[in-house]
Amino acid sequence: LQNLPLKPAGTKILDYRGKPIGNQSEHVAVLDKAIGDRDLQQCADAIIRLRADYLWEGKRQNEIAFHFTNGDLYKWTDHKKGIRPKLRTSSRVDYVQSAAFDDSFRNFRKYLDIVFAYAGTISLNKETIRVRENRQIKVGDILITPGSPGHAVIIVGSAINARGKKVYLLAEGYTPAQSIHIITNPYRGALNPWYELDVSKSSTITARYLFKETNLRKFRE
């Protein structure tokens, strides 16, 4: 995450239609990650995308699996075998063999689009673990409010000074689906764009969202 390529300085945030969004004042960088051409890769989905890419590029493809909001676990290993979800009711999904085996990256991106459609902040919150102590906070952890709508950001950088004080860079996607971007810190000008994070704080405000609960979470190793 700390070494992800960025778009050139000054790049605007684009939505999934390739159009600049209205708010271009609260980001310092745009990640060089495709958005897709559908309104799917929103806030939780951006984090799922980064996590999935991390596992893919680390040759850990068999670990790629995400829960849908209804609790079902959808695995890349099943998708590449041709198994697809079929919506029966608003809460019930059946899984049917409907495609041939395909382990290509292109098919992996199709898998992620399915996950984006069925997952969100509620499922992402449930499949991560609470960070209980400040010393445990690390790059890759997320700050999340589960809900419809909710929101989530991910830590993509950290720094520490001589006194041991740590600060963090935060990235997010948003609605409508748009470029994953690193946000400013308009509330702490001296730190901008870095953030101090504290699990004991009742709330945490970021550039574009107030997290009314400081719910810091991590993925299972």
Side-chain angles (χ1 to χ4, degrees):
L1 287 173
Q2 295 180 102
N3 294 282
L4 288 174
L6 302 175
K7 296 281 190 179
T11 295
K12 292 183 176 181
I13 298 172
L14 303 179
D15 67 17
Y16 65 98
R17 296 163 296 187
K19 297 180 179 180
I21 66 166
N23 182 358
Q24 298 290 342
S25 64
E26 293 176 333
H27 72 284
V28 293
V30 172
L31 274 59
D32 192 5
K33 289 280 184 181
I35 309 164
D37 58 4
R38 300 167 63 192
D39 191 10
L40 291 174
Q41 190 174 281
Q42 300 178 0
C43 64
D45 313 299
I47 292 170
I48 290 169
R49 169 75 185 283
L50 294 175
R51 174 68 175 175
D53 282 358
Y54 164 74
L55 294 174
W56 178 277
E57 292 164 11
K59 309 301 181 184
R60 296 167 61 184
Q61 289 95 334
N62 289 346
E63 298 177 39
I64 299 172
F66 295 96
H67 288 86
F68 294 160
T69 299
N70 73 348
D72 289 355
L73 183 66
Y74 190 47
K75 301 178 181 179
W76 160 243
T77 52
D78 289 337
H79 179 90
K80 71 180 182 180
K81 294 174 185 176
I83 297 171
R84 301 290 185 269
K86 185 176 181 180
L87 189 65
R88 286 294 185 188
T89 68
S90 60
S91 60
R92 180 185 171 189
V93 179
D94 291 341
Y95 297 86
V96 296
Q97 182 75 44
S98 60
F101 180 90
D102 182 354
D103 63 354
S104 68
F105 184 78
R106 182 179 180 182
N107 193 40
F108 169 62
R109 287 291 292 113
K110 291 181 179 179
Y111 160 79
L112 288 179
D113 280 349
I114 293 173
V115 173
F116 297 163
Y118 287 98
T121 53
I122 293 172
S123 57
L124 186 58
N125 184 70
K126 288 180 179 178
E127 67 184 13
T128 49
I129 304 168
R130 190 75 175 251
V131 176
R132 300 287 182 182
E133 300 179 34
N134 287 339
R135 63 182 180 84
Q136 298 174 332
I137 302 172
K138 64 182 185 303
V139 172
D141 292 348
I142 65 175
L143 178 60
I144 186 168
T145 294
S148 299
H151 190 53
V153 299
I154 183 169
I155 300 173
V156 293
S158 67
I160 186 168
N161 68 10
R163 300 188 304 276
K165 188 67 176 179
K166 294 189 75 173
V167 290
Y168 305 91
L169 290 176
L170 304 178
E172 67 181 8
Y174 219 80
T175 304
Q178 57 194 249
S179 313
I180 305 174
H181 52 276
I182 298 173
I183 57 175
T184 62
N185 185 349
Y187 304 101
R188 295 286 301 276
L191 276 181
N192 187 33
W194 300 87
Y195 282 81
E196 292 179 338
L197 296 174
D198 186 345
V199 298
S200 68
K201 287 184 64 177
S202 60
S203 63
T204 298
I205 190 167
T206 62
R208 301 173 70 186
Y209 192 83
L210 170 60
F211 292 88
K212 294 181 180 180
E213 178 188 1
T214 302
N215 180 27
L216 277 158
R217 307 184 73 81
K218 64 180 180 179
F219 286 98
R220 292 171 172 82
E221 299 297 337

